[in-house]
Every structure is written in structure tokens, then in C-alpha cells.
């Protein structure tokens, strides 16, 4: 089995660099056959996740405290992944805009690799996991993507081994109705987990490759063709304390808390919000219905491992089942889907409590056979992260 993990390439080389060691393995809560959300035991409360008001750090001061010159950072100093400096930065998210860093070749080459998850990583099944779902073929989304799925796109970022990519979704901001700048993705797409730090140069590209062109056609594509709605840099990122404290390169710790929220702003400046620019944003459904009460879930992403190439948006729709592997962790949703590496962080959409589409999870993991995907159940910890980011920018 393998997890859906970031794949890296150094610079603009066509040769893949060594994959960054942040493998998400399988963990979830054991629960009865009629209950998807058995008590997972002590976890961080919504307040502990950061819903209290926290002032944004002064970027210049933070960089000075780290002995970093902003001009040197933008000129390439960001690429210093010295372990001491990187871990030191884990305390603060630092992401200055570097104009034109995400050029077409860098965006095309940022992909995700296969990372194996051993069978012993799932040996904790307590007998309540539903049978493996039947594989569902991933279907290419009709172009233009900005019409079919305007909220979806890609998150690009840099790690110690080069440029990487995940999928992501524009979500509503309760503090700014109709003018959201919030993006939902996976926790492992923003932070390396236990012993690591924040990734750098995080940027969201909505409707990436909007026209659905092939990899060959994109060889000469302009930045505007790949990013028709612009490049939106994260000025804040937040994931669960569980992912930061326990997320691991092996074994699966932190998997059920593998979610994150970004607040973004346009690289070139714009009077419009992200939601206004793309034409929509999804509400987030916390404590979504039990599996038996969900007719189907649609997962969206940009799968990159063969037979896909990461350039086209795909979707899978299936009735979810449960993946419950650890009685101390929340149960994960699971659907049949043949999307491969590259789809991490992509939104899972189901009918919300108001009868309209809502985001209920995000792609986190899948097996080497690429027959299914699993995503976290969004409970109080996820709501705490979401509220914290919304409140942080409520008066801005």
C-alpha cells in the first residue's frame, strides 16, 4: 500500500529528486457498526487548535529574529534547508511572496511520488472497517475547469528536496461572506509533521490548466494558460496540532487529522477576493452524517502518478465506507477511486445539511494498487483550525 505524498523535483530539472520523507499511513478510530464517530478519547479541543485570537506575526521582525534578510530570502536564501534553521522556523509560518517564482516549468514538474505503506501499518484493524470498496475509474473533468469545478485547484510548495504539489479547494469564510480567501487542503501539504517544519513558497493556483490541455500541449504554455485565475500566495497556514505533533514519515501517526486551511492573497495584487475571482466557494460540513447516511462523495484532484500526468483535473464519485484502524483515533471515510499520487488535499464533496454541496473531507491516503482513497472525518479539531484562520483575518 502507499500513501498519497508530495513528490519533489529540484529546480526545473526533468529528473525527479528524492521524495521528501513525509509518508502518511493509516490510522482511525474503532467504532460500532452503526456509529462512525465513536469517542476517540482525549484530543485537543477547538480552543487548543487556536480559535483564540492570535495576532499575525510581523514578517520583517520574524525574519530578523531568524537572522534572515528579506531581499536575500527572495533571492534564494529560502532554499536553505539546514535542519536547525528549518526546525526553528516550525514555530512560525513564513511565506513572503516571490514574484514569478512559480513559472510554468516549475508548476509542470512539481508532482507526487509513490511512497509505500507496509501491511503492518494497517494491522490495527479492530474489525469494524468496511470491506474494500470496488475501484471507481477516475473521470477527467470537462473543461473549462473554472466552469465545471470553480473551487478546485492546486497548491504548490517547496520542501528540502524540491518543488511539490497537492490539490486543494476554495472554501467559504464566515468572517467574509461571498469574499473568502480561504483554501482547504491536507496537513501534509503544508507541514512535514513531527520533527519537521513548515514548507515554503506555498501558493494556490485555482483552475490549473483550465482548458484541460495535455502535457505535450503544455510544453509551451504560458503562465496565464496554467494559472488563468492567478497565483495566490498563502500569508497564513494552519493545520492540526495532532499533525504537527505526531505526523510521521512512517507508521501513520496523525493521519485522521491530516487537514489544513490557508489564507491567501494574489501575487500581483487585486481588488477582488479569491471567491469573487473564481466565482464560488464551498461551505465546510463539520460532523458530517454517518457513512450509512451519505449517498455518495465526489473527490476532486490532479492525480500525477501513472497512468496520469498531473496536468488534468479528475473526479471519482462513490458511496463511502469506513476505514477504522485505531480505537484512539477518529474513523476515516473511504471511497473506491483510481486517482493516484497528486490528488492529496483535494476536496471531498457531499450533500450538506442544507441539501447543497459541502466539503466533508479531503484526500489523504490510498493503496499502491490505486483502488481507493481515504480522508479524515472533519470534527471539532478541523473546525477549530478553520475558525482560527477565519478569525485571524476577520478584521482585515
Amino acid at each position: 500500500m502507499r500513501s498519497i505524498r508530495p513528490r519533489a523535483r529540484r529546480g526545473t530539472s526533468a529528473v525527479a529528486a528524492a521524495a521528501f520523507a513525509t509518508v502518511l499511513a493509516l490510522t482511525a478510530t474503532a467504532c460500532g457498526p452503526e456509529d462512525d464517530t465513536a469517542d476517540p478519547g482525549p484530543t485537543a479541543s477547538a480552543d487548543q487548535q487556536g480559535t483564540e485570537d492570535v495576532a499575525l506575526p510581523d514578517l520583517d521582525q520574524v525574519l530578523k529574529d531568524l537572522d534572515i534578510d528579506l531581499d536575500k530570502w527572495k533571492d534564494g536564501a529560502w532554499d536553505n534547508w539546514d535542519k536547525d534553521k528549518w526546525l526553528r522556523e516550525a514555530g512560525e509560518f513564513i511565506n513572503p511572496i516571490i514574484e514569478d517564482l512559480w513559472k510554468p516549468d516549475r508548476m509542470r514538474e512539481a508532482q507526487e511520488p509513490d511512497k509505500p505503506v507496509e501491511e503492518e501499518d494497517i494491522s490495527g484493524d479492530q474489525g469494524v472497517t468496511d470491506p474494500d470498496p470496488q475501484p471507481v475509474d477516475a473521470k477527467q473533468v470537462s473543461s473549462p475547469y473554472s466552469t465545471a469545478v470553480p473551487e478546485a485547484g492546486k497548491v504548490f510548495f517547496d520542501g528540502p528536496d524540491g518543488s511539490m504539489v497537492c490539490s486543494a479547494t476554495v472554501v467559504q469564510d464566515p468572517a467574509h461572506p461571498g469574499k473568502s480567501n480561504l483554501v482547504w487542503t491536507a496537513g501534509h501539504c503544508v507541514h512535514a509533521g513531527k520533527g519537521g517544519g513548515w514548507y515554503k513558497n506555498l501558493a494556490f493556483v485555482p483552475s490549473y490548466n483550465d482548458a484541460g490541455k495535455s502535457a505535450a500541449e503544455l510544453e509551451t504554455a504560458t503562465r496565464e494558460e496554467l494559472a488563468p485565475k492567478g497565483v495566490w500566495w498563502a500569508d497564513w497556514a494552519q493545520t492540526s496540532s495532532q499533525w504537527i505533533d505526531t505526523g510521521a514519515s512512517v507508521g501513520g501517526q496523525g493521519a485522521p487529522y491530516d487537514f489544513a486551511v490557508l489564507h491567501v492573497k494574489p501575487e500581483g495584487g487585486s481588488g477582488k477576493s479569491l471567491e469573487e475571482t473564481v466565482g464560488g466557494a464551498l461551505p465546510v460540513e463539520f460532523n458530517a452524517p454517518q457513512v450509512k447516511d451519505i449517498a455518495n462523495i465526489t473527490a476532486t484532484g490532479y492525480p500525477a502518478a501513472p497512468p496520469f500526468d498531473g496536468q488534468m483535473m479528475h473526479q471519482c464519485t462513490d458511496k463511502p465506507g469506513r476505514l477504522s484502524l485505531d480505537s484512539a483515533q477518529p474513523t476515516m471515510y473511504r471511497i473506491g477511486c483510481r486517482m493516484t499520487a497528486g490528488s492529496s488535499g483535494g476536496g471531498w464533496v457531499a450533500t450538506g445539511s442544507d441539501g447543497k454541496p459541502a466539503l466533508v473531507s479531503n484526500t489523504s491516503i490510498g493503496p499502491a494498487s490505486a483502488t481507493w482513497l481515504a480522508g479524515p472525518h472533519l470534527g471539532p479539531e478541523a473546525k477549530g483550525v478553520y475558525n482560527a484562520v477565519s478569525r485571524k483575518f476577520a478584521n482585515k
Side-chain angles (χ1 to χ4, degrees), residues 227-288:
K229 302 293 183 178
V231 176
W232 296 71
W233 284 70
D235 53 3
W236 192 256
Q238 194 155 334
T239 184
S240 67
S241 59
Q242 290 89 347
W243 173 253
I244 290 176
D245 293 342
T246 67
S249 59
V250 295
Q253 294 88 343
Y257 305 100
D258 183 27
F259 43 76
V261 178
L262 309 177
H263 184 276
V264 300
K265 59 183 178 182
E267 178 175 301
S270 171
K272 289 186 176 181
S273 67
L274 175 61
E275 181 176 359
E276 291 171 305
T277 299
V278 304
L282 288 173
V284 183
E285 187 87 358
F286 298 103
N287 292 316

Side-chain angles (χ1 to χ4, degrees), residues 162-221:
S163 57
M164 299 186 282
V165 68
C166 280
S167 300
T169 308
V170 183
V171 294
Q172 293 178 2
D173 181 355
H176 297 284
K179 297 183 178 181
S180 175
N181 285 306
L182 302 186
V183 175
W184 192 283
T185 189
H188 73 261
C189 299
V190 303
H191 192 284
K194 184 178 181 179
W198 298 99
Y199 294 125
K200 302 175 183 178
N201 304 326
L202 272 79
F204 176 63
V205 176
S207 301
Y208 174 85
N209 185 23
D210 193 32
K213 292 183 178 180
S214 67
E217 292 173 318
L218 293 177
E219 286 295 327
T220 58

Side-chain angles (χ1 to χ4, degrees), residues 56 81 145 345:
L56 285 168
W81 292 93
Y145 302 152

Side-chain angles (χ1 to χ4, degrees), residues 350-392:
T351 301
S353 56
D354 62 357
K356 298 179 180 179
L359 185 139
V360 298
S361 187
N362 56 263
T363 297
S364 178
I365 51 177
S369 56
T371 55
W372 54 262
L373 297 175
H377 183 279
L378 305 182
E381 296 82 10
K383 188 174 183 179
V385 169
Y386 174 76
N387 286 342
V389 180
S390 175
R391 290 176 60 176
K392 194 179 295 291

Side-chain angles (χ1 to χ4, degrees), residues 2-370:
R2 67 165 164 77
S3 102
I4 306 298
R5 301 277 75 190
R7 175 173 171 179
R9 291 179 185 262
R10 171 61 62 191
T12 58
S13 169
V15 180
F20 184 65
T22 59
V23 182
L24 180 67
L26 307 175
T27 55
T29 187
C31 57
E34 295 300 318
D35 181 13
D36 294 332
T37 56
D39 183 5
T43 64
S45 69
D47 285 342
Q48 288 173 306
Q49 295 296 339
T51 55
E52 70 279 1
D53 293 326
V54 178
L56 285 168
D58 179 85
L59 179 60
D60 289 339
Q61 186 59 50
V62 171
L63 292 176
K64 287 178 181 178
D65 291 343
L66 295 171
D67 298 322
I68 295 171
D69 180 88
L70 182 56
D71 290 334
K72 290 181 179 179
W73 177 281
K74 293 183 177 181
D75 197 36
W78 64 264
D79 204 17
N80 179 0
W81 292 93
D82 176 83
K83 185 176 181 181
D84 291 335
K85 285 186 175 293
W86 186 38
L87 296 184
R88 206 168 41 157
E89 291 169 13
E92 293 285 5
F93 176 73
I94 304 169
N95 200 50
I97 292 176
I98 304 176
E99 291 188 8
D100 298 323
L101 176 69
W102 289 108
K103 299 180 183 296
D105 54 357
R106 277 189 113 237
M107 287 193 283
R108 288 197 307 270
E109 292 173 2
Q111 299 180 27
E112 289 199 12
D114 293 338
K115 290 295 292 182
V117 176
E118 303 298 335
E119 287 299 324
E120 53 264 31
D121 291 331
I122 61 170
S123 61
D125 190 344
Q126 301 299 308
V128 298
T129 293
D130 293 322
D132 287 1
Q134 290 297 311
V136 173
D137 290 336
K139 296 182 179 180
Q140 185 176 336
V141 175
S142 300
S143 59
Y145 302 152
S146 56
T147 298
V149 194
E151 304 88 358
K154 282 190 174 189
V155 168
F156 295 93
F157 52 102
D158 282 298
D161 295 303
S163 57
M164 299 186 282
V165 68
C166 280
S167 300
T169 308
V170 183
V171 294
Q172 293 178 2
D173 181 355
H176 297 284
K179 297 183 178 181
S180 175
N181 285 306
L182 302 186
V183 175
W184 192 283
T185 189
H188 73 261
C189 299
V190 303
H191 192 284
K194 184 178 181 179
W198 298 99
Y199 294 125
K200 302 175 183 178
N201 304 326
L202 272 79
F204 176 63
V205 176
S207 301
Y208 174 85
N209 185 23
D210 193 32
K213 292 183 178 180
S214 67
E217 292 173 318
L218 293 177
E219 286 295 327
T220 58
T222 65
R223 196 170 191 242
E224 289 68 29
E225 288 176 300
L226 288 179
K229 302 293 183 178
V231 176
W232 296 71
W233 284 70
D235 53 3
W236 192 256
Q238 194 155 334
T239 184
S240 67
S241 59
Q242 290 89 347
W243 173 253
I244 290 176
D245 293 342
T246 67
S249 59
V250 295
Q253 294 88 343
Y257 305 100
D258 183 27
F259 43 76
V261 178
L262 309 177
H263 184 276
V264 300
K265 59 183 178 182
E267 178 175 301
S270 171
K272 289 186 176 181
S273 67
L274 175 61
E275 181 176 359
E276 291 171 305
T277 299
V278 304
L282 288 173
V284 183
E285 187 87 358
F286 298 103
N287 292 316
Q290 298 182 44
V291 160
K292 64 184 180 64
D293 296 325
I294 301 177
N296 59 64
I297 285 177
T298 296
T300 302
Y302 285 84
F308 308 98
D309 59 20
Q311 305 307 311
M312 299 180 185
M313 187 188 296
H314 288 76
Q315 289 183 325
C316 290
T317 298
D318 192 24
K319 181 173 177 57
R322 297 167 297 179
L323 186 61
S324 182
L325 307 170
D326 184 340
S327 60
Q329 300 288 333
T331 301
M332 299 177 79
Y333 291 123
R334 182 165 65 162
I335 62 171
C337 184
R338 290 196 179 277
M339 281 200 288
T340 61
S343 55
S344 281
W348 288 28
V349 178
T351 301
S353 56
D354 62 357
K356 298 179 180 179
L359 185 139
V360 298
S361 187
N362 56 263
T363 297
S364 178
I365 51 177
S369 56

